[in-house]
Amino acid sequence: RRVLFRSLIFVLTQGHNIPLHDGVPVGQTDPDTWLRLTLVREWLTGGGWYNHLVPNSNAPMEAAASPWTRPVDVVLSFFVYLQPETIAIDLRIMRASLLLPWLWMALLIAGIHRAVRFILPMNSAYVMATVLILTTPILLNYFGLGNADHHAPLAVLFIWAIGGILAPTQTRSMMIVSGILFGLQLWISVEAFMLIGAAYVWFGLQWLRGDSQKAESLAWLATAAAFTSIIAIMIEVPRAEWFAPVYDSISVVYAYSLVIAALFAWGLRAYSPPTLQGRLVVGVIGGAIVALVIGALYPHLPSGPLYGVHPFIITDFLPRISEAKSFFFIPINVLVVCTYMPLMMIILCLAPWLRPEHSFYSREQSAKFAYFLIATLLLYYSQQRWSYYLLPLTIAIIAPLLGALFTPEHPLVTHHWPANTLAALTPNEQMKRRLPVLLGALALPIL
């Protein structure tokens, strides 16, 4: 039903294009999508798995190559091969691009609902999560009709990977699954390296506070991510180039860093001093050694994907790409983020401290939510396209709070804030309390 509802939204948003006539664009105007489809056509028509050269390019450089990797192309090609070969390859590829966002949206909804189940399983929370998805226009940008770029699957992999980390407790299987998903995300785009690092820092901070169990969780998470990145290189890169340092795509640079981080995590699991001072010394010295070992072999890693790129990319290309700019370049985004997101984060951060006897989020959970929200919010501040990490995470965390307002009698929340503030009120009084919350959470992003 959720997928059908989402499909209805697609139909409604494209209704103005019917009946079709010349001069009306239908589907994507983003050139990245068309470039993706062109590269897929080149591969499927004999271009070769390892060939990433852009055909018919007018870029002011020779042999322009795309850093994009093959996982999204494989999914596209699957939908292509489901169609009869008698249909022209261009038409089959475009049809596949129309199906792809529906798949990603269904997986995104499922991933957000999985995270909600780990946080607070209530039917009202699942409903609010779905409503928030459908009323967040910035998020829907990357799931639009015909959008075959890699941003939507990155959002899907992230919310599934972070879901297990948001749970009150982490099992070994959860961490292995999250590590594999982080590795797949890194395979698609090396921007995932920052998110992986943020997750590692969180577990490291918990170990520093004295929770030795978090070191084991980090070790399994890091091992799964490192192993997946190695497998990705073996599939994506020719054997002769397995050890070539590349910074704008999956390569030994990132796999090597993840392996070193995994070894460090297992070291923390094996040796955890009983005092905070001891753990601090071990963490600082160990972290410095890890940084030195990685930096000695790959000193340009801090520059990330921009290291070694053609000057045209820096001077002419990126300044023209709106999604690569800071969110401060679009005032309406400032309004939405500066009123909606920080307000919800403040509530999440302060509730367990102000009313610990009533909050259904523990202090550890609240700190965890705030940490990852701040991390993704900072990414969004740097480049507005990273809203596809920030917003699914926000929806998963906020949905249980909003759900509690609609079912204050639910046994999981009836004695906790904010549900306990509504329990003694009449239905009309409850609606008056909910209305400003709904306007802020649902209406403001649309406006």
Side-chain angles (χ1 to χ4, degrees):
R1 289 196 299 271
R2 298 177 189 127
V3 175
L4 290 176
F5 185 47
R6 176 59 187 159
S7 302
L8 176 62
I9 298 298
F10 270 135
V11 172
L12 294 177
T13 56
Q14 294 299 318
H16 64 279
N17 290 324
I18 302 172
L20 299 178
H21 57 274
D22 291 342
V24 176
V26 178
Q28 286 297 304
T29 56
D30 186 347
D32 281 1
T33 293
W34 294 104
L35 177 57
R36 168 77 65 180
L37 301 184
T38 301
L39 293 173
V40 170
R41 181 180 62 185
E42 291 298 306
W43 170 43
L44 296 180
T45 55
W49 176 265
Y50 302 119
N51 179 24
H52 294 279
L53 295 179
V54 179
N56 306 317
S57 171
N58 64 347
M61 60 192 79
E62 296 182 359
S66 169
W68 294 342
T69 50
R70 291 299 188 188
V72 178
D73 298 349
V74 169
V75 180
L76 266 168
S77 66
F78 171 76
F79 287 117
V80 170
Y81 282 115
L82 287 180
Q83 304 172 57
E85 294 185 3
T86 54
I87 301 175
I89 184 67
D90 284 356
L91 182 55
R92 282 188 284 158
I93 290 175
M94 284 191 284
R95 285 178 174 177
S97 73
L98 295 175
L99 291 172
L100 207 56
W102 304 56
L103 171 65
W104 298 141
M105 178 52 69
L107 291 175
L108 183 77
I109 293 174
I112 291 176
H113 282 204
R114 173 178 176 262
V116 170
R117 177 169 62 87
F118 287 146
I119 298 173
L120 194 69
M122 297 189 305
N123 289 336
S124 57
Y126 299 135
V127 172
M128 289 309 305
T130 305
V131 172
L132 284 167
I133 293 171
L134 299 176
T135 55
T136 309
I138 301 175
L139 175 63
L140 302 183
N141 176 53
Y142 293 103
F143 294 82
L145 188 65
N147 195 328
D149 207 358
H150 57 258
H151 302 296
L154 287 174
V156 170
L157 288 171
F158 173 70
I159 195 61
W160 277 86
I162 206 70
I165 299 176
L166 295 180
T169 58
Q170 289 78 45
T171 64
R172 179 185 301 180
S173 60
M174 279 183 183
M175 292 301 93
I176 292 175
V177 170
S178 292
I180 293 173
L181 294 173
F182 272 134
L184 290 174
Q185 190 180 351
L186 182 68
W187 184 0
I188 295 175
S189 175
V190 295
E191 69 189 38
F193 195 70
M194 294 179 291
L195 297 167
I196 296 172
Y200 289 5
V201 169
W202 167 256
F203 284 107
L205 291 174
Q206 299 311 298
W207 171 84
L208 191 62
R209 291 178 58 247
D211 190 348
S212 58
Q213 183 63 32
K214 289 298 187 290
E216 182 173 356
S217 299
L218 173 59
W220 286 111
L221 176 71
T223 301
F227 181 77
T228 305
S229 68
I230 293 172
I231 298 299
I233 293 172
M234 297 173 66
I235 296 174
E236 182 72 36
V237 181
R239 181 178 298 181
E241 301 175 14
W242 280 358
F243 296 99
V246 177
Y247 292 88
D248 62 351
S249 187
I250 186 70
S251 72
V252 66
V253 174
Y254 300 99
Y256 176 81
S257 302
L258 293 182
V259 169
I260 297 300
L263 293 175
F264 179 47
W266 284 108
L268 294 181
R269 179 184 179 275
Y271 179 64
S272 180
T275 64
L276 174 61
Q277 293 80 0
R279 291 189 298 273
L280 188 60
V281 170
V282 170
V284 171
I285 294 177
I289 293 174
V290 168
L292 289 174
V293 171
I294 296 174
L297 192 56
Y298 302 114
H300 303 294
L301 180 60
S303 300
L306 295 182
Y307 171 74
V309 300
H310 194 282
F312 169 81
I313 300 296
I314 305 296
T315 60
D316 291 81
F317 180 71
L318 286 180
R320 300 172 183 267
I321 306 301
S322 60
E323 65 180 10
K325 296 179 180 179
S326 165
F327 88 113
F328 291 104
F329 282 84
I330 299 185
I332 190 64
N333 287 3
V334 176
L335 174 64
V336 172
V337 174
C338 288
T339 54
Y340 173 52
M341 280 298 307
L343 177 62
M344 294 301 179
M345 280 196 297
I346 290 172
I347 293 174
L348 290 171
C349 293
L350 296 183
W353 277 268
L354 297 177
R355 303 292 296 273
E357 70 279 9
H358 295 307
S359 177
F360 53 72
Y361 289 155
S362 66
R363 289 187 175 182
E364 180 182 349
Q365 273 186 301
S366 181
K368 182 195 305 181
F369 298 158
Y371 171 83
F372 284 106
L373 283 171
I374 291 172
T376 52
L377 186 62
L378 291 176
L379 287 177
Y380 177 60
Y381 282 171
S382 65
Q383 289 192 21
Q384 55 184 301
R385 66 192 178 94
W386 282 327
S387 61
Y388 51 75
Y389 297 134
L390 170 66
L391 295 175
L393 176 64
T394 304
I395 290 170
I397 295 175
I398 301 300
L401 274 176
L402 296 179
L405 293 175
F406 283 87
T407 55
E409 71 285 351
H410 195 286
L412 289 176
V413 299
T414 185
H415 298 298
H416 303 294
W417 181 91
N420 59 357
T421 63
L422 301 178
L425 303 179
T426 65
N428 288 336
E429 291 173 333
Q430 290 183 8
M431 180 53 65
K432 291 179 181 178
R433 294 285 185 92
R434 295 185 190 116
L435 186 58
V437 177
L438 289 178
L439 290 175
L442 304 180
L444 181 60
I446 295 177
L447 294 175

